[in-house]
């Protein structure tokens, strides 16, 4: 058990809808990262927050947004969903700001299916 | 990002050591080598990381060559539960973890 909790485990929704994925980091970790894994793309970095502030952005679509709350949990919001957004969404956390010499610890993901 | 090259797949007999190679010939002096694995569709699991020296923990050993251009992850006694995709990542300061396709390790009974 990595200590990172993601809810829900599975989500099925229709095109055009909006969903929110939730992540609770490991105790003591200040950074939260979001990754997307689809069959043909592998693991893609989306966005990182450190202590409530956005720190780095990757291949995140404009329809997607995230935030980190004062209690350090994070939410990833996906809107105007398309079939191609079906994927596994992973959250990870680390102690520091950069994660340079500290590993990321991943949750077990949310499987999103858009029909 | 410093690029890594791994074989797409490997087999290993149960109970034997699994040696997973990774080439990272463009690595810079201050970049760490990390190893993760992903079992089926679970979240990637951290295994080990290192800078220059060899490292060992309860899961595995990491051997980094003196010129740092390659490394080997060693699972000393592979079990069926070690069947997974193994990712070798070079961690560049200021950039985030970039996952490649990894090596699919199959541990055979």
């Amino acid at each position: 058990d990595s200590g990172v909790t993601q809810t829900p485990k599975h989500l099925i929704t229709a095109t055009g809808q909006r969903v929110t994925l939730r992540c609770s980091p490991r105790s003591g970790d200040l950074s939260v990262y979001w990754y997307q894994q689809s069959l043909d793309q592998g693991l893609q970095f989306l966005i990182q927050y450190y202590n409530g502030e956005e720190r780095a952005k990757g291949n995140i679509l404009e329809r997607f947004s995230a935030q980190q709350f004062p209690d350090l949990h994070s939410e990833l919001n996906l809107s105007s969903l398309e079939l191609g957004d079906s994927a596994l969404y992973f959250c990870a956390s680390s102690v520091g700001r950069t994660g340079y010499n500290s590993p990321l610890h991943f949750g077990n993901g949310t499987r999103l299916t858009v029909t | 990002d410093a690029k890594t090259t791994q074989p797409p797949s490997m087999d290993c007999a149960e109970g034997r050591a699994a040696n997973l190679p990774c080439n990272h010939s463009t690595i810079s002096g201050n970049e760490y080598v990390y190893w993760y694995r992903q079992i089926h569709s679970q979240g990637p699991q951290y295994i080990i990381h290192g800078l220059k020296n060899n490292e060992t923990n309860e899961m595995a050993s990491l051997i980094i060559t003196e010129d740092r251009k390659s490394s080997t992850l060693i699972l000393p006694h592979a079990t069926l539960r070690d069947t997974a995709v193994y990712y070798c990542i070079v961690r560049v300061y200021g950039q985030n973890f970039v996952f490649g396709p990894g090596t699919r390790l199959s541990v055979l009974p």
Side-chain angles (χ1 to χ4, degrees), chain A residues 38-53:
Chain A
S38 49
L39 278 175
D40 57 348
Q41 293 281 342
L43 275 154
Q44 300 286 319
F45 167 68
L46 294 179
I47 197 164
Q48 178 202 351
Y49 278 79
Y50 174 77
N51 206 19
E53 307 244 335

Side-chain angles (χ1 to χ4, degrees), chain A residues 34-80:
Chain A
W34 286 97
Y35 281 78
Q36 178 192 55
Q37 186 174 35
S38 49
L39 278 175
D40 57 348
Q41 293 281 342
L43 275 154
Q44 300 286 319
F45 167 68
L46 294 179
I47 197 164
Q48 178 202 351
Y49 278 79
Y50 174 77
N51 206 19
E53 307 244 335
E54 181 185 303
R55 191 181 179 275
K57 248 181 178 176
N59 303 319
I60 188 165
L61 300 172
E62 284 191 12
R63 300 183 286 108
F64 296 180
S65 65
Q67 55 185 324
Q68 186 180 27
F69 294 86
D71 67 353
L72 301 177
H73 90 272
S74 177
E75 292 181 356
L76 179 67
N77 300 297
L78 315 176
S79 61
S80 303

Side-chain angles (χ1 to χ4, degrees), chain B residues 15-16 20 24 39 45 69 72:
Chain B
R16 305 297 293 267
L20 292 96
H24 30 77
I39 297 171
Q45 179 187 22
K69 292 186 176 183
T72 301

